[in-house]
Amino acid sequence: MSAQELVTTAKAMVADGKGLLAMDESTRTCNKRFEKVGIPQTEEARRSYREMILTTPGLGEFISGVILYDETIRQSRKDGTLFVKVITDAGIIPGIKVDTGEEDMAGHPGEKITEGLDGLRDRLAEYSQMGARFAKWRAEITIADGVPSRGCIEANAHALARYAALCQEAGLVPVVEPEVLMDGEHSMDRCLEVTTEVLRTVFSQLSTQRVALEGMILKPNMVLPGKDCPKQESVEEVADATVTCLLRSVPAAVPGIAFLSGGQPYELASARLNAMNVRFKSRLPWALAFSFARAIQQPALEIWKGRQAHAAAAQQALFHRARCNSAARLGEYGAEMENNVGSRAK
Ligand code: 13P
């Protein structure tokens, strides 16, 4: 893939009115979510769940790309059609999570470092050959007393940049995901400060590692008060703080920013993205899109519960969240949309 093709793919991933569906939960995370709603934690249940998601009628109207996990990219529909073909036939771009997860960081109690650089060049070549056109790597940053440390931020930013350079070499668009967690009692101001420092460090490392900014997507957290912070700012205040942070730290050459949802209530994730687009869209150099997992999938998972008989209703719930987030991309989402869950997927 040429540099121009990377740019074309990156732009298509954040095309107006569209965003990414993250369905790249590792086996461990997927099993944890299944356990909570009483679904057996088997490979067949995971395959069947992913088949339900990927065969949602009309999904390509709102979803530009899906992020798969290593197990999933090798799986097929019950009729034998590879998921990658199901995805491309729906007009959606297939992508893949390529980090191998977070480990405790040596010498840094309470902090994590993401692993997966060893052998990455070979794995990227295989995924590309299987049809993936973009890849994702997530770094996790915790806010607590004396944390995050400079060591943790720098090590994670360096790994993100080395992964991104390898992706572009392999012709895959890197989705660079430094996630500042919303767990904790910290204020929104503290999240603004930490997220700004993290993003500035990430872009400094991306530049050092010669990553072409035009051929990548940034996947950050929104700037939020900690989940347990007594003061919870309004939707508009969150939108303002998030855009302020991004303007201070993300170069204009980046085509798009696709937020993770991070455990926010799904309606709030849509409302906050919508407020950013309503208030700032015409003045921003990059598209503001979504790359949600829980904020698109959660209602569908709770309906599906592993039962084929629930598949159509679960798909309807998934389609609804995809449509709400598509509207938020356009600044056209409103709470009244939530009363129309019943309108069917085409
Ligand atoms: P959430 O939207 O559930 O935070 O997941 C996004 C993601 O891909 C995390 O890596």
Side-chain angles (χ1 to χ4, degrees):
M1 209 197 264
S2 68
Q4 188 49 48
E5 281 174 291
L6 284 175
V7 174
T8 306
T9 303
K11 282 189 180 152
M13 289 164 67
V14 290
D16 214 18
K18 291 192 180 182
L20 304 174
L21 165 58
M23 47 181 291
D24 60 329
E25 299 84 1
S26 64
T27 299
R28 202 167 137 256
T29 302
C30 188
N31 284 347
K32 270 202 261 171
R33 294 197 182 146
F34 276 14
E35 194 182 359
K36 271 198 190 142
V37 291
I39 300 170
Q41 293 107 64
T42 63
E43 180 176 349
E44 175 50 23
R46 293 190 296 275
R47 189 207 63 74
S48 174
Y49 175 62
R50 267 73 184 244
E51 172 166 350
M52 181 278 289
I53 292 178
L54 291 174
T55 55
T56 298
L59 197 62
E61 201 183 323
F62 306 126
I63 299 297
S64 55
V66 295
I67 316 177
L68 304 172
Y69 182 61
D70 182 75
E71 178 181 84
T72 322
I73 198 170
R74 300 170 195 281
Q75 289 175 325
S76 310
R77 276 181 78 148
K78 210 154 189 112
D79 69 6
T81 316
L82 275 169
F83 281 158
V84 174
K85 178 161 168 38
V86 175
I87 293 164
T88 46
D89 285 353
I92 298 173
I93 307 170
I96 179 80
K97 169 190 174 78
V98 299
D99 66 74
T100 55
E102 299 82 25
E103 301 286 344
D104 291 340
M105 186 167 163
H108 292 72
E111 297 193 284
K112 302 281 185 191
I113 178 74
T114 301
E115 304 279 359
L117 288 172
D118 288 354
L120 182 57
R121 177 177 274 135
D122 293 341
R123 289 195 293 123
L124 292 174
E126 186 194 11
Y127 290 137
S128 166
Q129 195 264 328
M130 291 169 96
R133 305 223 346 249
F134 69 94
K136 180 193 108 169
W137 178 292
R138 172 176 178 269
E140 186 180 297
I141 306 289
T142 302
I143 300 181
D145 266 357
V147 162
S149 65
R150 196 58 210 155
C152 174
I153 294 173
E154 281 181 13
N156 275 296
H158 179 75
L160 276 166
R162 285 190 55 204
Y163 132 85
L166 281 161
C167 282
Q168 291 189 333
E169 178 192 85
L172 299 173
V173 172
V175 174
V176 173
E177 181 182 7
E179 173 172 3
V180 178
L181 298 176
M182 58 185 279
D183 300 332
E185 294 178 2
H186 57 269
S187 67
M188 187 176 76
D189 284 349
R190 175 94 174 108
C191 181
L192 172 63
E193 184 191 334
V194 170
T195 305
T196 306
E197 182 184 353
V198 167
L199 293 180
R200 284 177 174 166
T201 310
V202 167
F203 279 100
S204 162
Q205 286 288 337
L206 288 168
S207 152
T208 305
Q209 298 303 325
R210 303 182 175 164
V211 172
L213 301 182
E214 295 80 359
M216 65 161 278
I217 299 293
L218 177 70
K219 175 166 175 167
N221 50 286
M222 295 182 192
V223 172
L224 304 172
K227 241 182 356 210
D228 302 320
C229 178
K231 182 170 178 213
Q232 293 289 316
E233 277 79 358
S234 68
V235 166
E236 289 73 24
E237 287 168 323
V238 165
D240 289 2
T242 303
V243 170
T244 298
C245 172
L246 296 172
L247 284 170
R248 286 175 181 169
S249 49
V250 183
V254 173
I257 295 175
F259 293 104
L260 59 96
S261 59
Q264 301 174 63
Y266 44 82
E267 294 176 6
L268 211 43
S270 303
R272 287 164 169 166
L273 176 61
N274 185 69
M276 288 180 224
N277 279 310
V278 167
R279 295 160 84 82
F280 302 105
K281 187 174 183 173
S282 61
R283 290 186 274 146
L284 297 177
W286 1 259
L288 290 186
F290 56 88
S291 176
F292 295 161
R294 283 162 288 180
I296 296 180
Q297 290 184 48
Q298 196 57 33
L301 176 65
E302 285 166 15
I303 293 170
W304 184 65
K305 288 212 162 80
R307 306 216 182 107
Q308 187 48 35
H310 298 178
Q315 288 180 334
Q316 203 170 304
L318 188 89
F319 184 84
H320 175 71
R321 288 259 55 81
R323 185 174 45 194
C324 287
N325 289 311
S326 163
R329 278 283 280 109
L330 302 168
E332 293 171 0
Y333 170 80
E336 69 289 347
M337 276 187 83
E338 300 295 350
N339 302 327
N340 276 327
V341 190
S343 51
R344 297 193 66 82
K346 281 187 261 175

